Amino acid sequence: MARNDVNIPDSDEYSHQEQKRMAFQAMQQQLRELQVVEDEVEVNFKAKEHGQHDLDGREAEREGKRLEALEQVKRMQQQTAERKKEATENELMKREDHYYAEKILREKQREAERLKQLKKTDPIEEQKKRIERMKQADAERKRVELALEAMRNEDLLARQMRFRDAEIRKMDVQREWKTRKDMQDEETDSRLRWRLIEQARLKQEEDERKRQRAEERRQRREQEKQQRAELAAWIECYDSNGYIYYYNQLTGASQWENPYTSTPT
């Protein structure tokens, strides 16, 4: 059978394969028998080498048989290997033929079903179905476009909302900064006013203290001037007995004590 033949093998080919299998089993049995003979010959040959038996005509004949049996075994082994290889190739070819046959049958069945379906289908109905599918595809495309447009609009609206929120936050921050600056300026002005008031109060107190000190100095000078004038009005006089007394020219008073020592200068 050819390798790429797609025909399914018949019963004659199966019987031929069975005959090959039986011949192969018989050959294996012969090989086992020859192996037994070969083992016996090998034992005798080893015994001859060790001097246990003398080499006579019978042993020479047995040696010839052994060599002949060995040659026959080698030939049978080669034939067995070739038959095994051929059987393996035939099995692979048979499996491959079955695979390709089933594959072609399935393809033919699908093709027949498709042709049968085409025969049953009306061209007008097929055209209507095609038009309906095209309409559905257009409707789906429009729906997707509308969804994308809605998503873009929503994204734009979201960006506008975020921008407006950012502007509101910016205005709030600016308003808060201005309020804090006004409060800080007001606090600075208040501190400056209190500092000026405190400086004015301290200056007023200092001026008052200076005025008081000046008044005290003036009064002290007046007192000293008056005391000097009063002291200058006292003169020394002597009575009829020659004793010294002091007479005030302004008041007309007289006294024995020295006014210059009793009154501090």
Side-chain angles (χ1 to χ4, degrees):
M1 182 182 293
R3 185 175 180 82
N4 293 326
D5 192 1
V6 297
N7 294 325
I8 299 175
D10 52 5
S11 59
D12 294 336
E13 188 171 354
Y14 284 119
S15 61
H16 181 66
Q17 294 290 338
E18 185 67 22
Q19 291 175 4
K20 284 185 178 181
R21 187 179 64 80
M22 293 176 65
F24 179 71
Q25 291 178 356
M27 188 181 297
Q28 286 182 342
Q29 182 65 27
Q30 292 178 4
L31 284 173
R32 284 194 292 270
E33 293 176 356
L34 289 173
Q35 186 67 31
V36 172
V37 174
E38 185 180 358
D39 293 339
E40 292 178 355
V41 172
E42 186 70 23
V43 171
N44 294 330
F45 182 73
K46 288 182 179 180
K48 182 192 71 173
E49 287 182 352
H50 289 82
Q52 295 179 1
H53 299 284
D54 295 332
L55 184 61
D56 52 3
R58 188 175 179 181
E59 290 179 354
E61 183 180 358
R62 186 176 296 175
E63 182 68 18
K65 289 182 179 181
R66 187 184 69 81
L67 295 175
E68 185 179 355
L70 288 175
E71 291 293 333
Q72 187 177 0
V73 167
K74 289 181 180 179
R75 287 194 301 272
M76 292 183 70
Q77 286 178 352
Q78 291 178 358
Q79 292 177 2
T80 303
E82 291 177 357
R83 289 180 180 178
K84 282 184 178 180
K85 184 176 180 181
E86 184 180 358
T88 304
E89 291 180 355
N90 290 332
E91 185 68 21
L92 292 174
M93 290 171 63
K94 183 174 67 174
R95 291 180 181 177
E96 189 174 0
D97 291 340
H98 278 292
Y99 170 75
Y100 282 109
E102 291 178 357
K103 184 177 179 181
I104 290 174
L105 286 175
R106 286 195 298 269
E107 290 179 356
K108 286 183 177 180
Q109 288 177 359
R110 285 196 294 269
E111 184 67 20
E113 290 178 358
R114 190 179 67 81
L115 293 174
K116 186 177 180 181
Q117 189 68 23
L118 288 175
K119 289 180 180 179
K120 289 182 179 180
T121 305
D122 189 3
I124 298 176
E125 292 294 332
E126 186 68 23
Q127 186 69 19
K128 289 181 179 180
K129 290 181 180 179
R130 189 179 298 109
I131 293 171
E132 186 66 24
R133 287 196 297 271
M134 291 175 65
K135 288 181 179 180
Q136 291 178 359
D138 291 338
E140 183 68 19
R141 181 175 56 79
K142 290 180 180 179
R143 187 183 64 79
V144 172
E145 289 178 354
L146 290 175
L148 291 174
E149 185 67 23
M151 290 174 63
R152 284 194 292 269
N153 294 332
E154 185 177 357
D155 190 14
L156 179 61
L157 181 60
R159 287 200 298 270
Q160 291 177 355
M161 292 292 291
R162 288 196 296 271
F163 180 75
R164 189 181 66 180
D165 293 340
E167 288 293 329
I168 292 173
R169 287 196 297 271
K170 182 179 178 181
M171 292 174 64
D172 292 340
V173 170
Q174 290 178 353
R175 192 181 302 109
E176 184 178 0
W177 178 81
K178 186 177 180 181
T179 303
R180 289 184 179 180
K181 189 174 184 303
D182 294 340
M183 291 175 63
Q184 187 176 5
D185 294 341
E186 185 178 356
E187 185 178 359
T188 303
D189 294 341
S190 177
R191 289 179 180 178
L192 182 60
R193 284 197 302 272
W194 281 107
R195 191 180 296 112
L196 293 174
I197 291 171
E198 185 68 19
Q199 289 177 359
R201 186 181 63 80
L202 293 174
K203 186 176 181 181
Q204 185 178 1
E205 291 178 356
E206 184 67 23
D207 293 341
E208 184 67 21
R209 285 195 295 272
K210 288 181 180 180
R211 188 184 63 77
Q212 290 178 0
R213 286 195 296 270
E215 184 67 21
E216 289 176 357
R217 286 195 299 272
R218 188 184 63 77
Q219 290 179 2
R220 193 163 49 250
R221 284 195 300 271
E222 290 291 334
Q223 290 177 1
E224 291 176 355
K225 184 178 179 181
Q226 185 178 0
Q227 288 178 1
R228 284 194 298 271
E230 289 178 355
L231 290 175
W234 291 95
I235 60 174
E236 291 182 356
C237 297
Y238 295 93
D239 61 357
S240 59
N241 294 322
Y243 292 103
I244 298 174
Y245 68 94
Y246 296 92
Y247 175 73
N248 192 337
Q249 296 177 1
L250 295 176
T251 61
S254 60
Q255 62 181 15
W256 296 104
E257 292 84 5
N258 188 355
Y260 295 103
T261 57
S262 60
T263 303
T265 58

